[in-house]
Every structure is written in structure tokens, then in C-alpha cells.
Amino acid sequence: MQPNNASGPWYLDDLKTGDLFRSGEYEMDANQIVAFAQQFDPQPFHTDLEAAKASMFGKLAASGWHTAAITMRLLVETLPFYKGLIGLSTDIQWPRPTYPGDRLRVECRVLEIAPSRSRPEQGVVTVETLTLGQEGEPRQRQITKVLAFRKPE
Amino acid sequence: MQPNNASGPWYLDDLKTGDLFRSGEYEMDANQIVAFAQQFDPQPFHTDLEAAKASMFGKLAASGWHTAAITMRLLVETLPFYKGLIGLSTDIQWPRPTYPGDRLRVECRVLEIAPSRSRPEQGVVTVETLTLGQEGEPRQRQITKVLAFRKPE
């Protein structure tokens, strides 16, 4: 699968229900996992290789928020929305942890497009984002509402 | 409001529906906002003070994922669950951005406790987490399912 190479900016009217976009890959390593967790999720199974072995994960695992943050980075590189990629809300599931050495990539599908009634220049696009590991298993599933804008006249 | 000072570990049976827990404060500054965004959400309104002025935010704004990550940090300090704070899923809304100088704090309320049928030693606790600014306005609203474990016999 090739990453999406379309160039932006993308306007509201450029998007269609069912559109599918694919990101490039991002490899997670243990140092990054520990550094993120020390700052934002300081729990032994995210910060300490030895302590993680005795945890329910059995080995060092990335914070779910790290998986979410890397997903955002891949999305920013993949979806060049006009005025930027601005999320209003998101529902996230973490069916499996991310581990050192995992190569994450993102598949993003447009589920729904709702033009705004009160603000005709914008709309809300609902997208499903799957963050997959190298063997295609989802590490994160996400349904997100993002803003999109029409091309200025 | 005082932060929660209870010591852990907390077991599944220690929690009751309606329990409310409060974190300490965390002040966001522009350098942290830019550093986070350069790594995980590289968009001009999160990384560039000047470019942000021309964006829909009107000034530098934190990535919603940064607000979420700081929320997790405050929760880890506030909720000393036995075996750690492990989220299964979460629904997030960002009603307002977080800006430099904002002092974030978290209020977390237990909405529901569901003991597992198949795994009697554990259960799923649904919590509502509000991430508030210094004037009490929510920057993030979250409904999260977290694992909790019974005290080993």
C-alpha cells in the first residue's frame, strides 16, 4: 500500500463519503516510548523495561496517548485540509498496545460529510481512523469529527 | 479546591458511583506547546506564534492531543489504581482550545462500575473527566472506560 500523495489544500467539496487515505509508516522505539511516558503517562509499564515485564502487558508498552499522538502526526502528513486539521471530538479504542519496534501506519476513511447550516463556509467531516501495526492489526480505532472549509469565493 | 490526596493502591471495591476526584494544577507554556506540536501535531497554529495570529484560533493554541496528554499526567497523579491506570476506550470533546498560560486541572467523576462476568478479579469503571482552565471553563470533556482490579485474596 502506498501512502497518499495528494497535495493540498483540500476543501470541503473535495471530499466524498467512502474516500480512503493511507499514511506512511512511523516506527516506535523504546527510547521514544519511555520519554513520552515520563512526561505524560508516568507508569512503570510505560517507563521501565524491567518493571514492565511484571505488568499485565508483559513488556514495555507505549502509552495509548503516544499511539494517539503519532496517529495525529501521520494524519497531518496525509490529509492536507485547507486551514488545517482541526478535530472537534473523537472516540478512541485501544484494542492492543503498541510496543517498541512496531511500525505504525494509518488508514482514514470518510464516513459522513455534514455541511453546516449556520455557517455555510464550513462543514463537519466524520472520519474513521485505524492505526495499524506492521501485520495489519489495529492498535487504535478512532471515529473523529473534523472541521472542513469550502473554497473561498 | 484541594487536589485529591488519597494514597493507593485503590481496588475495584474501593470505588463508588458518584465519587469525585480532583487533581493539582499544571501550567501550559508556549515553549511546551510548540515542542509538543513539532513532534506530534505540526500545524502552524500550534507551532508558530506569528502564523497562529492569522489562524482561526487567533493566537498560539495547544494541540488537543497535548491537552489530552497533560490530562493523563494529572490523572496518573490523582487516581492510584492498583496495577495502574489503563484505559480501554475514551470519547473526547474539545469545546475550547488551551492557550499558553492556562492552568489546567482535572475533575474526575465515577459514572458506572461494571464487574466483569468472565474475569471476576477485574471490572470496568466508566469515568467522566473534565479538564478545566483557571476560570473553570472546560477545555476537554472525556468519558473513559478504565480497568480496575479487585484486591487479591
Side-chain angles (χ1 to χ4, degrees):
Chain A
M1 275 181 286
Q2 292 303 306
N4 170 56
N5 287 313
S7 60
W10 292 353
Y11 301 99
L12 179 62
D13 297 306
D14 294 333
L15 299 164
K16 297 188 307 295
T17 301
D19 279 350
L20 176 65
F21 306 105
R22 295 187 175 97
S23 77
E25 276 192 350
Y26 186 95
E27 183 165 342
M28 300 286 270
D29 72 35
N31 288 340
Q32 289 171 9
I33 286 172
V34 169
F36 184 97
Q38 284 173 337
Q39 243 189 308
F40 301 117
D41 192 349
Q43 305 196 80
F45 38 73
H46 298 320
T47 59
D48 184 323
L49 281 159
E50 282 306 310
K53 290 182 186 168
S55 76
M56 63 174 287
F57 297 108
K59 56 180 174 174
L60 189 76
S63 169
W65 300 106
H66 196 181
T67 302
I70 293 297
T71 298
M72 184 65 194
R73 182 188 167 125
L74 291 169
L75 288 174
V76 168
E77 294 167 359
T78 307
L79 304 177
F81 278 35
Y82 174 58
K83 295 195 181 184
L85 202 53
I86 299 170
L88 302 172
S89 65
T90 190
D91 297 355
I92 308 181
Q93 296 175 304
W94 292 287
R96 282 176 201 81
T98 296
Y99 296 108
D102 281 345
R103 298 191 307 279
L104 299 180
R105 61 189 170 82
V106 164
E107 291 187 12
C108 184
R109 189 183 299 272
V110 176
L111 299 183
E112 193 183 344
I113 299 171
S116 170
R117 286 177 199 174
S118 58
R119 307 186 69 172
E121 78 283 11
Q122 69 185 53
V124 173
V125 181
T126 304
V127 295
E128 179 187 47
T129 303
L130 297 178
T131 308
L132 305 167
Q134 54 281 357
E135 65 310 280
E137 291 184 344
R139 305 303 216 265
Q140 182 176 285
R141 284 197 198 96
Q142 222 178 332
I143 306 285
T144 307
K145 290 188 187 298
V146 298
L147 272 181
F149 294 87
R150 290 191 200 283
K151 189 168 185 173
E153 288 175 5
Chain B
M1 276 181 286
Q2 292 303 305
N4 169 56
N5 287 313
S7 60
W10 292 353
Y11 301 99
L12 180 61
D13 297 306
D14 295 334
L15 299 164
K16 296 189 307 294
T17 301
D19 279 350
L20 177 65
F21 306 107
R22 294 187 176 95
S23 77
E25 275 191 352
Y26 186 95
E27 183 165 341
M28 299 286 271
D29 71 37
N31 289 339
Q32 289 170 9
I33 286 172
V34 169
F36 183 97
Q38 285 173 336
Q39 244 189 308
F40 302 116
D41 192 349
Q43 305 196 80
F45 38 73
H46 299 320
T47 59
D48 183 322
L49 282 159
E50 282 308 309
K53 289 181 188 169
S55 75
M56 64 173 287
F57 298 109
K59 56 180 173 174
L60 189 77
S63 169
W65 300 106
H66 196 181
T67 302
I70 294 297
T71 298
M72 184 65 193
R73 182 188 167 125
L74 291 168
L75 287 174
V76 167
E77 295 168 358
T78 306
L79 304 177
F81 278 34
Y82 174 58
K83 294 196 182 185
L85 202 54
I86 299 170
L88 302 172
S89 64
T90 189
D91 296 356
I92 308 181
Q93 297 175 304
W94 292 286
R96 283 177 200 80
T98 295
Y99 296 109
D102 281 344
R103 298 191 306 279
L104 300 179
R105 61 189 169 82
V106 163
E107 291 186 11
C108 184
R109 189 183 299 272
V110 176
L111 298 184
E112 193 182 343
I113 299 171
S116 170
R117 286 176 200 175
S118 58
R119 306 185 71 171
E121 77 283 9
Q122 69 185 54
V124 173
V125 181
T126 303
V127 295
E128 179 187 48
T129 302
L130 297 178
T131 308
L132 306 167
Q134 55 280 357
E135 65 311 280
E137 290 183 344
R139 306 302 215 265
Q140 181 177 283
R141 284 196 198 95
Q142 221 179 334
I143 307 285
T144 307
K145 291 187 187 299
V146 297
L147 273 180
F149 294 87
R150 289 192 200 284
K151 189 167 184 173
E153 286 176 7

